[in-house]
Amino acid sequence: MQSFRTELENPVVEKDIIDLEQKIRDFREGKIHDEKFKSLRLARGVYGQRQPGVQMVRIKLPFGKVTFKQLLKIADISDEYASSNLHLTTRQDIQIHYVSLERTPELWAKLEQDDVTLREACGNTVRNVTSSPASGIDPQEVFDVSPYAHAVFAFFLRNPICQEMGRKFKISFSSSEADTAFSFIHDLGFIPKVKFENGQEVRGFKVMLGGGLGAQPALAHVVHEFLHEDQIIPYTESVIRVFDRYGERNNRNKARLKFLIQKIGLEEFLRLVDEERIANKVKSYKIDRDAVPQPEAPGVVKYPEVEITNPARYKHWRATNVFEQKQKGFFGVYIKVEVGDIPTAQARQLVDAISPYVADEIRITQNQGLLLKFAREEALPHLFNGLSALGLAAPGFDSVADVTTCPGTDTCNLGISNSMTLSKVLEDVVYSEYEDLIYNRDIKIKISGCMNSCGQHGLAHIGFHGSSLKAQGKVLPSVQVLLGGGIVGDGIGRAADKITKVPAKRATTVLRAVLNDYQANTNDNELFNDYYDRQGKDYFYQLLKPIADLTTLQDDEFVDWGHEETFATAIGVGECAGVVIDLVATLIFEAEEKFGWARQAFDDNRFADSIYHSYSVFISAAKALLLDKGVNSSTHAGIIREFDVQYVATGEIELSGSTFDELILQINKNEPSEQFAAQYLQQAESFVQTVKAKREALIQL
């Protein structure tokens, strides 16, 4: 494990990886509490699997961009450390499975050699920043949002304000009003806009705030019709600061930003955001528009004549999987990837097959496919043949036949019923019985293994999520059926309605019933959701009610898709975010560790970072003493309030004529200057010493 210490060029990354190695060792030796260690590894992309003793590793690929070399490196890593498979996610990441915990630092170090990171791919952090996969080549876009997504990713990576939030935070950039990055389900969603001032083009974004799916979907609020491009990072920073201070931390089911906005109201939330701006690291942040250059297109080559292996299928593929880019003469080519899985051997063959014909940049799509760029028209037959040989030329990308799914019970702790096999079965139904619908890009089918919507069932026109039912004294695998979700456009979206719950083995019957009714009763050129609205929710409940009848169950319906044994629910503890640490000694140790980070940041002239680390010192130390009194506040704001009530107002702790609120909340009343950073650092150090002395006195009692 020593090799990565000399091979990495970035000392910050190297320190990160060495720290993970040491923390793993400390955890194995019993020096770190399990929940603290879980939080630490999650923030480094290491997630416990359903199978005991192994990990899922999530590889963070900002806006889904990966080069041929990076894809090959990830394939090599999966062969050496995982299960020789790459899983594409709905957040444009790649996941590998069955990794030994002890090998994750070495794995991470090797990935970093090709500029690939695991950092903050999981946990209570800013997750992967996503964008429309076609950004940069989208004929509808007003400008390329890729550099903006990259800037946001880079600014918040390792940023102290978002390392230990109450819950994860998701950001997206759509390339146009088509909103193909789903701004309305994100904590912050950005849609590009242009206006003209004095004859000059000015770039900005429509800003959507507080969206989310999960068990309780919420559609985002429009908070800016036009926010200048230089303000998107300062605004995002202010939002995250408020979320970190006021967001729920004990009940993870109520800890997302959408619940905080529901609790205090949008107007109050926006007031707090405005109040935080003085503390921001930057008041304006100019985006480098050239930070993500377009990849070099293949040179002009006279391709040899080639015979199409399957002319009819090529026609379908060309109609559904290929589009002309905004760069005339070039085409984008989508690859439909069944259940998002690419075996490593197939990944290498894919790179060999496509590299002569497309640019060296692949984008992972939100429906678990791939997008290739800058193919010339004469190269398309060669691409089709090459993809066909690999089983990757299925037509119907992003159509009814392209079902999105999460891993479900295959590997996820939270999975209730199978989603991967069900996805394949539903696709087979479409291809074999509704071939004309492979051209239909209006209807989207999405599946999640549970209600948390990793497969995005909550925004599907036809959605399913894993569940269970009881019948005949036994439990059987089931799916909740949802209808009517989807994109409206320009930040407006629809959350799908729950219709009924049926045995999982009847999901195919549900799909047939809905598609048959749609074909029989839709008006000319009527979109699915217009047809759904016209018929009404109760119409579909009555349509599907006979399918939900449990008096006609067969024995095989007690066995889930892809399984041979009788179904039993086996839900583990979810790790989509860390768990609160309630150990007093651990919190005091954390406060001292964070003080070291604050001191180091100050010495490096990173004054804003030093100030936020000092703020975290106050919070950890105060929480430690509150726990001694059995007070476990669920927010930073609550900790501040309770510390004044329990210790300052009672005279147990004196703070030089100040309340704790006044002391700690200097942070949002001062510019992040060197002078204030020095003062705040000294105050944090003094506070920790006071807390330690109080704690030692309490122990002696």
Side-chain angles (χ1 to χ4, degrees), residues 13-28:
V13 173
E14 184 173 1
K15 182 179 182 299
D16 238 1
I17 296 172
I18 293 171
D19 183 58
L20 176 60
E21 180 191 13
Q22 181 61 49
K23 290 295 196 298
I24 291 172
R25 187 176 295 116
D26 290 346
F27 170 66
R28 293 302 192 199

Side-chain angles (χ1 to χ4, degrees), residues 20 41-42 44-48 55-57 101 104 122 575:
L20 176 60
R41 65 172 165 77
L42 283 168
R44 285 147 183 81
V46 182
Y47 187 106
Q55 317 294 318
M56 175 272 282
V57 170
L101 178 61
T104 53
C122 303
E575 294 195 348

Side-chain angles (χ1 to χ4, degrees), residues 571-593:
I571 306 170
V573 177
E575 294 195 348
C576 291
V579 179
V580 176
I581 315 304
D582 285 346
L583 299 177
V584 175
T586 299
L587 284 165
I588 292 177
F589 171 78
E590 280 185 14
E592 292 180 308
E593 184 179 40

Side-chain angles (χ1 to χ4, degrees), residues 13 19 36 86 137 173 221 268 328 404 484 606 650 655:
V13 173
D19 183 58
K36 172 63 180 173
L86 311 180
I137 64 171
F173 285 82
H221 307 270
E268 172 64 6
K328 297 302 179 185
T404 302
R606 293 183 288 113
T650 61
L655 297 175

